[in-house]
Amino acid sequence: MPSKSDIQIPEFRGDEDFARELDHSDPLARLREEFHIPRATNGEPCVYLAGNSLGLQPKAARSIVLEELDQWARLGVDGHFEGERPWYSYHELLRETGARLVGAKPGEVVAMNSLTANLHLMMVSFYRPTRDRCKIMIEEPCFPSDIYAVKSQIGFHGHDPKDALVVLRPREGEWCIRWDDIASTIERERERLSLVMLGGVNFVTGQLLDMRRIAELGHRFGAVVGFDLAHAAGNVLLQLHEWGVDFAVWCNYKYLNSGPGAVGGCFVHEKHSKSFDLPRFAGWWGNDPSTRFKMHLQPEFIPREGADGWQLSNPPILALAPVKVSYDLFDSVGMDALRTKSMRLTAYMEFLLDALLHESCEAITPRNPAERGCQLSLKIGGNARNVLSKLHHRGVVCDFREPNVIRAAPVPLYNSYCDVWRFVESLRSIGKS
Ligand SMILES: *Cc1c(COP(=O)(O)O)cnc(C)c1O
């Protein structure tokens, strides 16, 4: 991983003119025009820093959904094979762009279901506990859905989460997890660890883990390694194929702007693409298309190669259409350019906050840009909910995580340097009031 000194961060100034200058010289500034920015009560566009929770709507989302509705009206069932984007193979339109987004080969990714459903499907195949090797390693804080999914899988296999869960915790008084603790935990549990299942970017702290090294170490000690990329996909650079990660899941409604409850994403490494003997929960869309419709003649499930073989149902086209729009947009810019702007934007926010932070407001996200995405998490000393609602009143949208954390995510696609300036200025004035 590059260290802070490897990453070029320009000198910043604290005045508003400087924010305008940064926007003026930002090659990606025009992308903001591609999105609907919600308005505050005074009619002005708000400062939207909650893209880590629900990304904004690309303007092109509406028309692509309407086009599919028209297709359905005009063609009925023939829309499966006719029209501009036949529904039968619709998910394949997202294959190449989705693969580039997470550093995968095209056959390794598929858009389907939702994050938690995909996590279960992946654990059905990749959590194969034996009596001696039955543990799953997760982190704290762990997103509730992930912990429920993991515990229920452990129970499903007849084990007790009390024995089979290894929880990686930050040290006393710290928020982020240290590499030494990750390494020593994997090593300590090496005889009993079946699966390492961590969030690539932590949803509370914004800490980005070194997934390459974790995969390497997990594999060295005989564990399967999977990641939840809910806060990583569309936020940081990923090389899932090269890192040898066994599987990964993510949602497309956070940084990937595909709409509330959008269809999720799933990665299965090529090394498992022909592992047809793995247990899996099957459905017709995962079946080889050449025998898919011969159900009564061919009742045996014949999985497709690659990630496609884990699909269950024919996809919800109206929900998949905005994902296509979003992936195309990301692909037209490229993650490298987005990450470059993202690091600057977040460094700028950190610079402005540094002048402001004191005991009542402390940043808990790693300071090294290589160990975080765009989100900065602030521990608020007073009443954090109160601060959040005062921000909202000033047209600044962030979000809150128990017990006292405000998360602010300046995203490179639609946030500006002026957004960041206004956010910090609002915090300053709330602090004084
Ligand atoms: C957002 C998020 C989820 C949400 O799960 P869904 O199945 O999409 O509702 C799960 N895990 C993590 C880590 C998340 O950040």
Side-chain angles (χ1 to χ4, degrees):
M1 258 197 179
S3 70
K4 185 165 183 169
S5 58
D6 298 334
I7 294 162
Q8 292 262 310
I9 298 297
E11 293 291 318
F12 294 125
R13 292 200 323 258
D15 54 295
E16 191 176 10
D17 278 344
F18 188 69
R20 290 201 195 94
E21 278 170 36
L22 288 171
D23 280 328
H24 195 70
S25 58
D26 170 13
L28 303 189
R30 64 182 165 83
L31 291 165
R32 184 175 167 87
E33 295 303 314
E34 305 285 332
F35 290 86
H36 290 291
I37 312 283
R39 306 249 157 201
T41 40
N42 66 2
E44 290 294 310
C46 62
V47 172
Y48 193 83
L49 298 174
N52 56 341
S53 186
L54 183 69
L56 291 181
Q57 184 185 135
K59 289 177 181 165
R62 176 185 297 263
S63 52
I64 199 169
V65 171
L66 290 177
E67 281 164 28
E68 295 312 327
L69 282 171
D70 288 345
Q71 195 85 305
W72 177 24
R74 228 181 23 251
L75 298 172
V77 71
D78 290 338
H80 282 300
F81 296 100
E82 290 175 17
E84 201 183 321
R85 294 180 290 270
W87 305 324
Y88 190 73
S89 51
Y90 201 100
H91 69 276
E92 292 174 11
L93 301 175
L94 291 80
R95 201 198 291 295
E96 305 255 335
T97 50
R100 281 192 282 274
L101 197 61
V102 295
K105 293 191 173 181
E108 293 175 319
V109 294
V110 64
M112 61 179 187
N113 312 313
S114 57
L115 187 157
T116 308
N118 290 338
L119 182 54
H120 274 298
L121 293 179
M122 289 295 100
M123 285 195 283
V124 163
S125 294
F126 296 108
Y127 174 49
R128 312 277 310 279
T130 60
R131 206 169 54 88
D132 296 326
R133 196 183 261 282
C134 69
K135 293 194 178 187
I136 304 183
M137 182 168 123
I138 55 155
E139 79 279 35
E140 189 178 273
C142 181
F143 197 87
S145 199
D146 300 48
I147 187 90
Y148 303 152
V150 163
K151 280 186 178 172
S152 64
Q153 286 283 338
I154 289 172
F156 179 73
H157 285 280
H159 297 281
D160 185 342
K162 279 201 204 69
D163 310 318
L165 205 58
V166 179
V167 183
L168 198 55
R169 292 190 173 84
R171 293 190 186 178
E172 187 70 30
E174 297 183 8
W175 284 82
C176 294
I177 294 173
R178 296 192 191 199
W179 167 256
D180 287 350
D181 294 343
I182 298 174
S184 63
T185 308
I186 293 177
E187 198 164 346
R188 188 188 73 224
E189 298 290 345
R190 63 184 176 274
E191 306 282 317
R192 292 169 298 271
L193 204 51
S194 171
L195 171 65
V196 173
M197 177 56 231
L198 300 171
V201 172
N202 187 269
F203 75 109
V204 176
T205 63
Q207 180 183 15
L208 165 60
L209 297 181
D210 192 336
M211 288 177 260
R212 176 200 299 270
R213 284 171 84 193
I214 292 169
E216 214 176 84
L217 200 63
H219 290 153
R220 191 186 312 154
F221 293 118
V224 171
V225 178
F227 289 104
D228 179 331
L229 303 177
H231 283 262
N235 179 19
V236 296
L237 298 180
L238 299 166
Q239 290 296 339
L240 298 182
H241 176 81
E242 201 188 306
W243 298 342
V245 171
D246 292 285
F247 70 87
V249 295
W250 63 95
C251 51
N252 282 314
Y253 50 78
K254 291 173 178 163
Y255 293 102
L256 290 164
N257 310 316
S258 303
V263 176
C266 188
F267 164 90
V268 180
H269 197 278
E270 190 177 46
K271 63 191 163 191
H272 304 300
S273 66
K274 293 184 187 168
S275 304
F276 301 130
D277 52 341
L278 283 176
R280 71 175 96 187
F281 286 170
W284 73 318
W285 227 250
N287 197 82
D288 180 349
S290 65
T291 59
R292 181 183 289 159
F293 283 104
K294 298 184 180 156
M295 311 98 170
H296 48 296
L297 304 172
Q298 176 50 274
E300 289 307 320
F301 175 68
I302 304 172
R304 297 181 76 152
E305 271 185 32
D308 274 10
W310 272 268
Q311 293 173 102
L312 298 178
S313 301
N314 77 109
I317 300 299
L318 300 180
L320 207 49
V323 184
K324 176 178 167 7
V325 160
S326 172
Y327 280 15
D328 287 347
L329 186 57
F330 269 84
D331 205 53
S332 70
V333 191
M335 276 307 300
D336 286 327
L338 286 168
R339 177 68 169 148
T340 301
K341 173 174 171 186
S342 173
M343 292 209 278
R344 279 186 159 215
L345 203 55
T346 297
Y348 177 59
M349 185 148 103
E350 184 173 56
F351 166 83
L352 294 177
L353 284 168
D354 277 347
L356 183 74
L357 294 183
H358 37 80
E359 277 164 31
S360 65
C361 177
E362 175 198 343
I364 61 172
T365 305
R367 287 189 76 86
N368 179 355
E371 293 177 36
R372 68 187 183 200
C374 69
Q375 171 186 322
L376 290 184
S377 303
L378 307 176
K379 188 185 82 163
I380 304 291
N383 185 333
R385 280 189 193 277
N386 207 5
V387 173
L388 192 78
S389 81
K390 284 181 177 169
L391 282 170
H392 210 275
H393 194 69
R394 288 166 164 80
V396 179
V397 184
C398 298
D399 80 354
F400 170 81
R401 280 293 170 272
E402 296 285 357
N404 54 356
V405 174
I406 285 183
R407 306 185 301 178
V411 309
L413 265 176
Y414 51 73
N415 283 123
S416 62
Y417 291 88
C418 283
D419 280 344
V420 170
W421 192 88
R422 276 181 58 196
F423 161 66
V424 180
E425 199 48 36
S426 301
L427 264 186
R428 183 198 310 279
S429 70
I430 291 166
K432 280 190 195 141
S433 66

